[in-house]
Amino acid sequence: MAVPARTYLAFHHAAKLLRLKTTVLSICPFSALEEANRALFKQANADEDHVVVTRETIFHPQGGGQPSDEGTMAAIDSKVDGHDPLFQVRAARMDAVHDGQVLHLGRFAAGSGPTMMQPGAIVEQLVDEEKRLLYSRLHTAGHVLGSAVRSLLEDEIPGFDELKASHSPDSASCEFRGSIEGKWKEPIQSRVDEYLARAMPVEIDFWTEEDFRNAGLERLIPDRRLLPPGENRFRVVRIVGAEVYPCGGTHVDTTDKCGPTIVKKISRTKGTSRVSYTVS
């Protein structure tokens, strides 16, 4: 598999863009991937799946707790029975071998095939809008929950900090350092409800390390190794009136668009606490 350039993450700059024309840089059978990259796709079928790399992508690869987008790519410069050859994208991941590339895993629809989507082919990417919206709602709701917990407990629990989160529909939760007692469930729910009702704007920006320091948020400065070569700004999501997070995910425009967000339970183990939630 040839080594193409880094994939331009179009969704970082235009998260509402659900359709994009771009160029195929490489394509290969799943079985020809490096072992480290095969390990990224647990449900892949070595006999049927291929991996496509494009110059740009609007497909959010799994990461930061957010599931990957799904959708299609259609080769618009060739026809099969009058239709554009179709590649069904089932998952996307950041390449584990070649820095900065996005791997799109999928299968060709009946009548289509890899010969119709060779390097240089122009394709139109189309993201599954329903799933993108759900994942965006879950991701923003996770930040709302994290901000609500911090506002209530940062000064109550020694060593408190936010650790990690999952924004998957079946396992959405935020994890914190410290023991959060069950008595906090209702106050957390009330604060989450407050933040949602206020329809707080959710803004995307790009910050330097100095921007973090000027905002008193040195603790949030990401590892510089996460930056693309030549870049010095990190992508951040800011919930106006609440908190800022370094984040590469997709989001809704205002907190009320998360929809009803329910704090399910608080579980504790080995000095950490997990607060699970759902959106409806």
Side-chain angles (χ1 to χ4, degrees):
M1 183 177 179
V3 181
R6 298 174 63 94
T7 306
Y8 178 76
L9 305 179
F11 63 87
H12 266 186
H13 307 273
K16 302 300 183 295
L17 189 64
L18 300 174
R19 188 185 296 266
L20 175 72
K21 290 183 180 178
T22 186
T23 304
V24 173
L25 296 183
S26 67
I27 180 171
C28 76
F30 175 79
S31 58
L33 280 182
E34 303 89 346
E35 182 178 356
N37 280 327
R38 293 199 303 272
L40 297 174
F41 300 99
K42 304 300 184 184
Q43 305 302 321
N45 184 309
D47 297 325
E48 299 183 44
D49 290 336
H50 283 73
V51 167
V52 176
V53 175
T54 54
R55 191 180 306 280
E56 302 95 5
T57 189
I58 52 174
F59 287 89
H60 181 283
Q62 180 173 298
Q66 181 171 332
S68 79
D69 283 324
E70 299 177 31
T72 61
M73 291 190 207
I76 62 177
D77 54 358
S78 58
K79 299 290 182 181
V80 176
D81 296 329
H83 299 285
D84 298 326
L86 195 66
F87 181 72
Q88 298 166 325
V89 179
R90 299 167 49 230
R93 301 285 190 275
M94 293 304 301
D95 194 311
V97 177
H98 309 299
D99 183 50
Q101 295 172 25
V102 175
L103 307 178
H104 305 86
L105 176 84
R107 298 177 186 176
F108 288 94
S112 302
T115 59
M116 301 168 184
M117 203 173 285
Q118 290 299 297
I122 304 300
V123 295
E124 184 172 53
Q125 298 178 339
L126 180 64
V127 166
D128 184 317
E129 183 174 4
E130 183 176 345
K131 288 184 177 179
R132 164 66 71 83
L133 177 58
L134 174 59
Y135 299 156
S136 298
R137 291 171 57 218
L138 280 161
H139 201 148
T140 305
H143 287 329
V144 169
L145 173 62
S147 182
V149 172
R150 178 177 291 278
S151 71
L152 290 167
L153 298 177
E154 185 172 27
D155 296 329
E156 299 286 335
I157 297 178
F160 174 89
D161 200 3
E162 295 179 60
L163 300 176
K164 60 183 179 179
S166 167
H167 309 299
S168 297
D170 58 349
S171 60
S173 64
C174 297
E175 190 170 309
F176 306 89
R177 180 178 292 117
S179 179
I180 301 176
E181 297 178 17
K183 68 180 183 180
W184 287 104
K185 183 174 182 290
E186 288 188 13
I188 292 170
Q189 182 69 68
S190 295
R191 187 61 55 87
V192 167
D193 291 343
E194 174 194 339
Y195 285 179
L196 298 179
R198 286 166 58 184
M200 304 158 85
V202 180
E203 300 179 350
I204 302 299
D205 204 350
F206 292 84
W207 283 17
T208 64
E209 291 184 6
E210 190 63 24
D211 291 325
F212 283 97
R213 294 189 182 96
N214 290 339
L217 296 172
E218 293 93 337
R219 63 182 174 80
L220 296 180
I221 297 176
D223 190 326
R224 287 190 60 83
R225 289 175 295 181
L226 299 176
L227 286 170
E231 294 289 333
N232 69 340
R233 294 179 182 271
F234 300 94
R235 188 176 188 266
V236 300
V237 57
R238 183 163 69 100
I239 301 176
V240 178
E243 198 158 356
V244 173
Y245 292 90
C247 182
T250 63
H251 296 277
V252 292
D253 291 330
T254 53
T255 55
D256 59 305
K257 293 183 179 178
C258 294
T261 301
I262 305 302
V263 178
K264 291 174 58 181
K265 67 177 181 179
I266 301 173
S267 56
R268 296 168 294 278
T269 181
K270 296 181 180 179
T272 64
S273 300
R274 177 177 292 108
V275 182
S276 61
Y277 69 97
T278 60
V279 300
S280 59

